[in-house]
Amino acid sequence: MEYDVTIRNIFATQSVIEQLSGRGLMGFFKYDGWMNNRPLEPAGFGAGPGTSLLAPLPTPAYVPVYTTAEYSLYQVSNKGSLNTDYYHLPDKRTLVYNRQINFAYWETPLALDSGNPLEVTAAQLKAICPEASLANIEKHVAPLNKSMQKYEINTRLRQAHFLAQVSVESDHFRATREYASGKSYEGRADLGNTQKGDGVRFAGRGLIQITGRDVYVKYGKYIGKDLTQGENMKLVEEEPWASDAAGYFWLIYKKAKNINARADSDNVDSVSRAVNGGTNGLQERRRYTANAKKIFGLK
């Protein structure tokens, strides 16, 4: 039959695998003794001298699998044998423990499988743009992944170019609004700034900073929001719009520039001109693209 036991969250880490195999500092934490005294509940790891790592529950009680801040419940199956036990984690992974050789391992190698093989992780973004703080990256990584899926940035090479451009345009994920006031855009008919105050009102926003009344009007219609009224234009400074606007700009607003095709040809300078209109930050754009290609295993 199947039953539930309590195991601390740390059990799923390399440190506990080492403990089970006898290589860790806590070699006294023996598997047999632990199993013979189940069900067990952690008694506050590191709580202080004299506190045992595990303490028996007053009354044996098998409970459903769930997780708390202190510990997780892992289901143990009779799938195993005299020498092997299988622990089914709440996230569907299985940890196998071989009692004969005192070794624990994952039945299936650990992987961040989101169902999207092209999903980018925060760690990868950090490696692409080392100057960015992980805290800032984590604000944007999920909506960026959605934006890339939505706007056909669906190859590793396209992602390499897109993320490099985003890294520079957002000042290493520090800003979703340009630092300048926008006064320099006043009267710029090529940006659609035909009304007084448009320069400041429609300054650059988003992770690829969309700029000017024209793009705000078109993007607003696309998402079903009037970004010209009141303070609505500031929505683009927030997620998910900051990332979504970047994808919209890349695929739809700049459709005539065909930025994905430029990325497909692996031409950083051409992509940069389409995004920024010039060579501003070109060395960084090249460096981040090279970083991304290395991270994604591209030549």
Short mmCIF file of all heavy atoms in Angstrom, two decimals, residues 190-244:
data_model
loop_
_atom_site.label_atom_id
_atom_site.label_comp_id
_atom_site.label_asym_id
_atom_site.label_seq_id
_atom_site.Cartn_x
_atom_site.Cartn_y
_atom_site.Cartn_z
N ASP A 190 7.18 62.95 -37.16
CA ASP A 190 7.49 61.58 -37.53
C ASP A 190 7.11 60.60 -36.43
O ASP A 190 6.94 59.40 -36.67
CB ASP A 190 8.97 61.43 -37.86
CG ASP A 190 9.87 61.82 -36.70
OD1 ASP A 190 9.60 62.86 -36.06
OD2 ASP A 190 10.84 61.09 -36.43
N LEU A 191 6.93 61.13 -35.20
CA LEU A 191 6.48 60.31 -34.08
C LEU A 191 5.00 60.48 -33.80
O LEU A 191 4.46 59.87 -32.87
CB LEU A 191 7.28 60.66 -32.81
CG LEU A 191 8.79 60.43 -32.86
CD1 LEU A 191 9.44 60.92 -31.56
CD2 LEU A 191 9.10 58.95 -33.09
N GLY A 192 4.36 61.34 -34.60
CA GLY A 192 2.94 61.60 -34.39
C GLY A 192 2.68 62.64 -33.32
O GLY A 192 1.52 62.83 -32.91
N ASN A 193 3.71 63.34 -32.88
CA ASN A 193 3.55 64.34 -31.82
C ASN A 193 3.09 65.66 -32.43
O ASN A 193 3.89 66.56 -32.70
CB ASN A 193 4.87 64.52 -31.06
CG ASN A 193 5.21 63.31 -30.21
OD1 ASN A 193 4.34 62.48 -29.93
ND2 ASN A 193 6.46 63.20 -29.80
N THR A 194 1.80 65.78 -32.64
CA THR A 194 1.23 66.94 -33.33
C THR A 194 0.53 67.90 -32.38
O THR A 194 0.13 69.00 -32.78
CB THR A 194 0.22 66.47 -34.39
OG1 THR A 194 -0.79 65.67 -33.75
CG2 THR A 194 0.92 65.65 -35.46
N GLN A 195 0.35 67.47 -31.12
CA GLN A 195 -0.33 68.32 -30.14
C GLN A 195 0.64 68.80 -29.07
O GLN A 195 1.62 68.11 -28.76
CB GLN A 195 -1.49 67.54 -29.50
CG GLN A 195 -2.55 67.08 -30.48
CD GLN A 195 -3.69 66.37 -29.81
OE1 GLN A 195 -3.99 66.60 -28.64
NE2 GLN A 195 -4.35 65.48 -30.54
N LYS A 196 0.36 69.96 -28.53
CA LYS A 196 1.23 70.53 -27.52
C LYS A 196 1.34 69.59 -26.31
O LYS A 196 0.35 69.08 -25.81
CB LYS A 196 0.68 71.88 -27.06
CG LYS A 196 1.59 72.61 -26.09
CD LYS A 196 1.04 73.98 -25.73
CE LYS A 196 1.97 74.71 -24.77
NZ LYS A 196 1.44 76.05 -24.40
N GLY A 197 2.56 69.36 -25.89
CA GLY A 197 2.79 68.51 -24.72
C GLY A 197 2.98 67.04 -25.07
O GLY A 197 3.26 66.21 -24.18
N ASP A 198 2.85 66.67 -26.35
CA ASP A 198 2.99 65.27 -26.74
C ASP A 198 4.37 64.71 -26.44
O ASP A 198 4.52 63.52 -26.15
CB ASP A 198 2.69 65.10 -28.23
CG ASP A 198 1.20 65.02 -28.53
OD1 ASP A 198 0.40 65.02 -27.57
OD2 ASP A 198 0.83 64.95 -29.72
N GLY A 199 5.39 65.55 -26.52
CA GLY A 199 6.75 65.07 -26.29
C GLY A 199 6.91 64.43 -24.93
O GLY A 199 7.39 63.30 -24.81
N VAL A 200 6.46 65.14 -23.89
CA VAL A 200 6.55 64.63 -22.53
C VAL A 200 5.52 63.54 -22.29
O VAL A 200 5.80 62.51 -21.66
CB VAL A 200 6.36 65.77 -21.52
CG1 VAL A 200 6.30 65.24 -20.10
CG2 VAL A 200 7.49 66.79 -21.66
N ARG A 201 4.31 63.76 -22.80
CA ARG A 201 3.22 62.82 -22.56
C ARG A 201 3.55 61.44 -23.12
O ARG A 201 3.25 60.42 -22.51
CB ARG A 201 1.95 63.36 -23.22
CG ARG A 201 0.68 62.56 -22.90
CD ARG A 201 -0.55 63.20 -23.53
NE ARG A 201 -0.78 64.54 -23.05
CZ ARG A 201 -0.67 65.64 -23.80
NH1 ARG A 201 -0.34 65.55 -25.09
NH2 ARG A 201 -0.88 66.83 -23.29
N PHE A 202 4.18 61.41 -24.29
CA PHE A 202 4.44 60.13 -24.94
C PHE A 202 5.94 59.84 -25.04
O PHE A 202 6.45 59.40 -26.06
CB PHE A 202 3.78 60.10 -26.32
CG PHE A 202 2.30 60.33 -26.24
CD1 PHE A 202 1.72 61.47 -26.79
CD2 PHE A 202 1.47 59.42 -25.58
CE1 PHE A 202 0.34 61.69 -26.71
CE2 PHE A 202 0.10 59.63 -25.49
CZ PHE A 202 -0.47 60.77 -26.05
N ALA A 203 6.62 60.11 -23.93
CA ALA A 203 8.05 59.76 -23.84
C ALA A 203 8.18 58.24 -23.86
O ALA A 203 7.20 57.50 -23.75
CB ALA A 203 8.62 60.33 -22.55
N GLY A 204 9.40 57.76 -24.02
CA GLY A 204 9.64 56.33 -24.15
C GLY A 204 9.26 55.53 -22.91
O GLY A 204 9.65 55.87 -21.80
N ARG A 205 8.50 54.46 -23.12
CA ARG A 205 8.09 53.57 -22.02
C ARG A 205 8.13 52.13 -22.48
O ARG A 205 8.04 51.84 -23.68
CB ARG A 205 6.69 53.92 -21.53
CG ARG A 205 6.57 55.29 -20.85
CD ARG A 205 5.17 55.50 -20.30
NE ARG A 205 5.05 56.76 -19.57
CZ ARG A 205 4.72 57.93 -20.12
NH1 ARG A 205 4.46 57.99 -21.43
NH2 ARG A 205 4.64 59.02 -19.39
N GLY A 206 8.22 51.23 -21.52
CA GLY A 206 8.28 49.81 -21.82
C GLY A 206 9.71 49.31 -21.85
O GLY A 206 10.66 50.09 -21.70
N LEU A 207 9.90 48.02 -22.02
CA LEU A 207 11.25 47.46 -22.04
C LEU A 207 11.99 47.76 -23.34
O LEU A 207 13.21 47.82 -23.36
CB LEU A 207 11.20 45.95 -21.78
CG LEU A 207 10.82 45.56 -20.35
CD1 LEU A 207 10.82 44.05 -20.19
CD2 LEU A 207 11.76 46.19 -19.33
N ILE A 208 11.24 47.91 -24.44
CA ILE A 208 11.78 48.60 -25.61
C ILE A 208 10.95 49.86 -25.67
O ILE A 208 9.76 49.79 -25.96
CB ILE A 208 11.63 47.78 -26.91
CG1 ILE A 208 12.60 46.61 -26.91
CG2 ILE A 208 11.90 48.66 -28.13
CD1 ILE A 208 12.57 45.77 -28.18
N GLN A 209 11.55 50.96 -25.38
CA GLN A 209 10.77 52.16 -25.06
C GLN A 209 10.03 52.71 -26.28
O GLN A 209 10.61 53.36 -27.14
CB GLN A 209 11.69 53.20 -24.44
CG GLN A 209 12.23 52.72 -23.10
CD GLN A 209 13.22 53.68 -22.48
OE1 GLN A 209 13.61 54.68 -23.06
NE2 GLN A 209 13.62 53.37 -21.26
N ILE A 210 8.72 52.44 -26.31
CA ILE A 210 7.90 52.99 -27.39
C ILE A 210 7.76 54.49 -27.16
O ILE A 210 7.58 54.95 -26.02
CB ILE A 210 6.53 52.30 -27.47
CG1 ILE A 210 5.68 52.56 -26.22
CG2 ILE A 210 6.69 50.80 -27.69
CD1 ILE A 210 4.24 52.07 -26.35
N THR A 211 7.86 55.27 -28.23
CA THR A 211 7.96 56.72 -28.11
C THR A 211 7.08 57.42 -29.14
O THR A 211 7.13 57.08 -30.34
CB THR A 211 9.42 57.18 -28.31
OG1 THR A 211 10.27 56.44 -27.43
CG2 THR A 211 9.57 58.67 -28.04
N GLY A 212 6.29 58.39 -28.69
CA GLY A 212 5.50 59.20 -29.61
C GLY A 212 4.03 58.82 -29.65
O GLY A 212 3.66 57.67 -29.42
N ARG A 213 3.20 59.80 -29.93
CA ARG A 213 1.75 59.60 -29.96
C ARG A 213 1.35 58.47 -30.91
O ARG A 213 0.44 57.69 -30.60
CB ARG A 213 1.05 60.91 -30.37
CG ARG A 213 -0.47 60.75 -30.53
CD ARG A 213 -1.12 62.05 -30.97
NE ARG A 213 -1.23 62.98 -29.85
CZ ARG A 213 -2.25 63.01 -28.99
NH1 ARG A 213 -3.25 62.15 -29.12
NH2 ARG A 213 -2.27 63.90 -28.03
N ASP A 214 1.99 58.39 -32.06
CA ASP A 214 1.57 57.42 -33.07
C ASP A 214 1.58 55.99 -32.53
O ASP A 214 0.60 55.26 -32.67
CB ASP A 214 2.48 57.52 -34.30
CG ASP A 214 2.03 56.60 -35.43
OD1 ASP A 214 0.93 56.81 -35.96
OD2 ASP A 214 2.78 55.66 -35.74
N VAL A 215 2.67 55.57 -31.92
CA VAL A 215 2.77 54.20 -31.43
C VAL A 215 1.86 53.98 -30.23
O VAL A 215 1.27 52.90 -30.07
CB VAL A 215 4.23 53.81 -31.11
CG1 VAL A 215 4.79 54.62 -29.96
CG2 VAL A 215 4.34 52.31 -30.82
N TYR A 216 1.68 55.00 -29.40
CA TYR A 216 0.78 54.86 -28.25
C TYR A 216 -0.66 54.67 -28.72
O TYR A 216 -1.41 53.86 -28.16
CB TYR A 216 0.87 56.09 -27.34
CG TYR A 216 2.01 56.04 -26.35
CD1 TYR A 216 3.28 56.45 -26.70
CD2 TYR A 216 1.81 55.59 -25.04
CE1 TYR A 216 4.34 56.42 -25.80
CE2 TYR A 216 2.85 55.56 -24.12
CZ TYR A 216 4.11 55.97 -24.50
OH TYR A 216 5.14 55.92 -23.60
N VAL A 217 -1.06 55.40 -29.75
CA VAL A 217 -2.41 55.26 -30.29
C VAL A 217 -2.61 53.86 -30.87
O VAL A 217 -3.60 53.17 -30.57
CB VAL A 217 -2.69 56.32 -31.37
CG1 VAL A 217 -3.97 56.00 -32.12
CG2 VAL A 217 -2.78 57.71 -30.74
N LYS A 218 -1.65 53.42 -31.65
CA LYS A 218 -1.78 52.11 -32.31
C LYS A 218 -1.69 50.96 -31.31
O LYS A 218 -2.46 50.00 -31.41
CB LYS A 218 -0.70 51.97 -33.39
CG LYS A 218 -0.96 52.90 -34.58
CD LYS A 218 0.15 52.81 -35.62
CE LYS A 218 -0.17 53.73 -36.80
NZ LYS A 218 0.91 53.74 -37.82
N TYR A 219 -0.78 51.05 -30.37
CA TYR A 219 -0.68 49.97 -29.37
C TYR A 219 -1.91 49.97 -28.48
O TYR A 219 -2.43 48.90 -28.12
CB TYR A 219 0.59 50.14 -28.53
CG TYR A 219 0.74 49.05 -27.49
CD1 TYR A 219 0.76 47.71 -27.84
CD2 TYR A 219 0.86 49.37 -26.13
CE1 TYR A 219 0.89 46.71 -26.89
CE2 TYR A 219 1.00 48.37 -25.17
CZ TYR A 219 1.01 47.04 -25.56
OH TYR A 219 1.13 46.05 -24.61
N GLY A 220 -2.43 51.14 -28.15
CA GLY A 220 -3.65 51.23 -27.34
C GLY A 220 -4.82 50.54 -28.03
O GLY A 220 -5.58 49.80 -27.39
N LYS A 221 -4.97 50.77 -29.32
CA LYS A 221 -6.05 50.11 -30.07
C LYS A 221 -5.83 48.60 -30.07
O LYS A 221 -6.79 47.82 -29.98
CB LYS A 221 -6.10 50.65 -31.50
CG LYS A 221 -6.63 52.08 -31.60
CD LYS A 221 -6.66 52.54 -33.05
CE LYS A 221 -7.22 53.96 -33.15
NZ LYS A 221 -7.23 54.46 -34.55
N TYR A 222 -4.59 48.19 -30.17
CA TYR A 222 -4.27 46.77 -30.23
C TYR A 222 -4.66 46.05 -28.94
O TYR A 222 -5.18 44.93 -28.97
CB TYR A 222 -2.78 46.60 -30.50
CG TYR A 222 -2.31 45.17 -30.56
CD1 TYR A 222 -2.55 44.38 -31.69
CD2 TYR A 222 -1.63 44.59 -29.49
CE1 TYR A 222 -2.13 43.07 -31.75
CE2 TYR A 222 -1.21 43.28 -29.54
CZ TYR A 222 -1.45 42.51 -30.67
OH TYR A 222 -1.04 41.21 -30.72
N ILE A 223 -4.43 46.70 -27.78
CA ILE A 223 -4.75 46.05 -26.50
C ILE A 223 -6.11 46.47 -25.96
O ILE A 223 -6.52 46.03 -24.88
CB ILE A 223 -3.66 46.34 -25.44
CG1 ILE A 223 -3.56 47.84 -25.13
CG2 ILE A 223 -2.33 45.77 -25.89
CD1 ILE A 223 -2.60 48.17 -23.99
N GLY A 224 -6.81 47.33 -26.69
CA GLY A 224 -8.15 47.75 -26.27
C GLY A 224 -8.16 48.76 -25.16
O GLY A 224 -9.11 48.80 -24.36
N LYS A 225 -7.11 49.62 -25.10
CA LYS A 225 -7.05 50.66 -24.08
C LYS A 225 -6.64 51.97 -24.73
O LYS A 225 -5.73 51.99 -25.57
CB LYS A 225 -6.04 50.30 -22.97
CG LYS A 225 -6.39 49.04 -22.19
CD LYS A 225 -5.33 48.74 -21.14
CE LYS A 225 -5.65 47.45 -20.39
NZ LYS A 225 -6.85 47.57 -19.57
N ASP A 226 -7.30 53.05 -24.34
CA ASP A 226 -6.94 54.36 -24.87
C ASP A 226 -5.77 54.90 -24.06
O ASP A 226 -5.94 55.39 -22.94
CB ASP A 226 -8.12 55.31 -24.80
CG ASP A 226 -7.84 56.64 -25.49
OD1 ASP A 226 -6.66 56.90 -25.82
OD2 ASP A 226 -8.79 57.42 -25.69
N LEU A 227 -4.58 54.82 -24.61
CA LEU A 227 -3.37 55.23 -23.89
C LEU A 227 -3.08 56.72 -24.04
O LEU A 227 -2.05 57.19 -23.56
CB LEU A 227 -2.17 54.42 -24.39
CG LEU A 227 -2.25 52.91 -24.18
CD1 LEU A 227 -1.02 52.22 -24.76
CD2 LEU A 227 -2.41 52.55 -22.70
N THR A 228 -4.01 57.45 -24.65
CA THR A 228 -3.81 58.89 -24.81
C THR A 228 -4.56 59.70 -23.77
O THR A 228 -4.36 60.91 -23.68
CB THR A 228 -4.26 59.35 -26.21
OG1 THR A 228 -5.69 59.21 -26.32
CG2 THR A 228 -3.59 58.53 -27.29
N GLN A 229 -5.40 59.05 -22.99
CA GLN A 229 -6.25 59.75 -22.04
C GLN A 229 -5.70 59.68 -20.62
O GLN A 229 -5.20 58.65 -20.18
CB GLN A 229 -7.66 59.16 -22.06
CG GLN A 229 -8.37 59.32 -23.39
CD GLN A 229 -8.52 60.77 -23.79
OE1 GLN A 229 -8.99 61.62 -23.01
NE2 GLN A 229 -8.13 61.08 -25.02
N GLY A 230 -5.82 60.82 -19.93
CA GLY A 230 -5.41 60.86 -18.52
C GLY A 230 -3.99 60.39 -18.33
O GLY A 230 -3.06 60.85 -19.00
N GLU A 231 -3.82 59.45 -17.39
CA GLU A 231 -2.51 58.89 -17.09
C GLU A 231 -2.36 57.49 -17.69
O GLU A 231 -1.44 56.74 -17.31
CB GLU A 231 -2.31 58.82 -15.58
CG GLU A 231 -2.37 60.16 -14.87
CD GLU A 231 -1.15 61.02 -15.23
OE1 GLU A 231 -0.03 60.63 -14.88
OE2 GLU A 231 -1.35 62.08 -15.86
N ASN A 232 -3.25 57.14 -18.62
CA ASN A 232 -3.24 55.78 -19.17
C ASN A 232 -1.93 55.39 -19.82
O ASN A 232 -1.56 54.21 -19.83
CB ASN A 232 -4.37 55.62 -20.20
CG ASN A 232 -5.73 55.52 -19.55
OD1 ASN A 232 -5.85 55.55 -18.33
ND2 ASN A 232 -6.77 55.42 -20.35
N MET A 233 -1.22 56.39 -20.37
CA MET A 233 0.04 56.05 -21.05
C MET A 233 1.06 55.44 -20.09
O MET A 233 1.94 54.68 -20.48
CB MET A 233 0.64 57.28 -21.74
CG MET A 233 1.12 58.38 -20.81
SD MET A 233 -0.21 59.35 -20.05
CE MET A 233 -1.02 60.05 -21.48
N LYS A 234 0.89 55.69 -18.80
CA LYS A 234 1.83 55.15 -17.81
C LYS A 234 1.66 53.65 -17.59
O LYS A 234 2.51 53.02 -16.96
CB LYS A 234 1.68 55.89 -16.48
CG LYS A 234 2.11 57.35 -16.56
CD LYS A 234 2.01 58.05 -15.21
CE LYS A 234 2.47 59.49 -15.31
NZ LYS A 234 2.37 60.19 -14.00
N LEU A 235 0.57 53.08 -18.12
CA LEU A 235 0.39 51.63 -18.03
C LEU A 235 1.56 50.89 -18.67
O LEU A 235 1.93 49.80 -18.24
CB LEU A 235 -0.91 51.20 -18.72
CG LEU A 235 -2.23 51.50 -18.00
CD1 LEU A 235 -3.39 51.12 -18.90
CD2 LEU A 235 -2.30 50.74 -16.68
N VAL A 236 2.14 51.51 -19.69
CA VAL A 236 3.22 50.85 -20.42
C VAL A 236 4.47 50.73 -19.56
O VAL A 236 5.38 49.96 -19.88
CB VAL A 236 3.51 51.60 -21.74
CG1 VAL A 236 4.52 50.84 -22.59
CG2 VAL A 236 2.23 51.79 -22.54
N GLU A 237 4.54 51.46 -18.46
CA GLU A 237 5.67 51.34 -17.55
C GLU A 237 5.54 50.10 -16.66
O GLU A 237 6.49 49.72 -15.99
CB GLU A 237 5.77 52.58 -16.67
CG GLU A 237 6.02 53.87 -17.42
CD GLU A 237 5.99 55.09 -16.52
OE1 GLU A 237 6.30 54.94 -15.30
OE2 GLU A 237 5.67 56.20 -16.99
N GLU A 238 4.34 49.50 -16.64
CA GLU A 238 4.07 48.39 -15.74
C GLU A 238 3.97 47.08 -16.52
O GLU A 238 3.71 47.06 -17.71
CB GLU A 238 2.74 48.64 -15.00
CG GLU A 238 2.69 49.97 -14.27
CD GLU A 238 1.29 50.30 -13.76
OE1 GLU A 238 0.38 49.45 -13.93
OE2 GLU A 238 1.11 51.40 -13.21
N GLU A 239 4.20 45.99 -15.80
CA GLU A 239 3.98 44.68 -16.40
C GLU A 239 2.52 44.29 -16.27
O GLU A 239 1.86 44.71 -15.34
CB GLU A 239 4.87 43.63 -15.72
CG GLU A 239 6.35 43.79 -15.99
CD GLU A 239 6.73 43.53 -17.46
OE1 GLU A 239 5.84 43.36 -18.32
OE2 GLU A 239 7.93 43.53 -17.72
N PRO A 240 1.96 43.55 -17.23
CA PRO A 240 2.66 42.91 -18.34
C PRO A 240 2.85 43.78 -19.57
O PRO A 240 3.42 43.34 -20.57
CB PRO A 240 1.73 41.74 -18.69
CG PRO A 240 0.36 42.29 -18.41
CD PRO A 240 0.52 43.16 -17.18
N TRP A 241 2.38 45.04 -19.51
CA TRP A 241 2.41 45.89 -20.70
C TRP A 241 3.82 46.27 -21.11
O TRP A 241 4.10 46.41 -22.31
CB TRP A 241 1.56 47.15 -20.46
CG TRP A 241 0.23 46.85 -19.86
CD1 TRP A 241 -0.24 47.25 -18.64
CD2 TRP A 241 -0.81 46.02 -20.40
NE1 TRP A 241 -1.48 46.75 -18.40
CE2 TRP A 241 -1.86 45.99 -19.47
CE3 TRP A 241 -0.94 45.31 -21.59
CZ2 TRP A 241 -3.03 45.27 -19.69
CZ3 TRP A 241 -2.09 44.59 -21.81
CH2 TRP A 241 -3.13 44.58 -20.87
N ALA A 242 4.73 46.42 -20.16
CA ALA A 242 6.11 46.80 -20.51
C ALA A 242 6.75 45.77 -21.42
O ALA A 242 7.43 46.11 -22.40
CB ALA A 242 6.94 46.98 -19.23
N SER A 243 6.53 44.49 -21.12
CA SER A 243 7.07 43.43 -21.96
C SER A 243 6.23 43.24 -23.22
O SER A 243 6.77 43.02 -24.32
CB SER A 243 7.11 42.11 -21.18
OG SER A 243 8.07 42.16 -20.16
N ASP A 244 4.92 43.32 -23.07
CA ASP A 244 4.04 43.13 -24.22
C ASP A 244 4.27 44.22 -25.27
O ASP A 244 4.28 43.94 -26.47
CB ASP A 244 2.58 43.14 -23.77
CG ASP A 244 1.63 42.70 -24.87
OD1 ASP A 244 1.52 41.49 -25.11
OD2 ASP A 244 1.02 43.59 -25.51
#
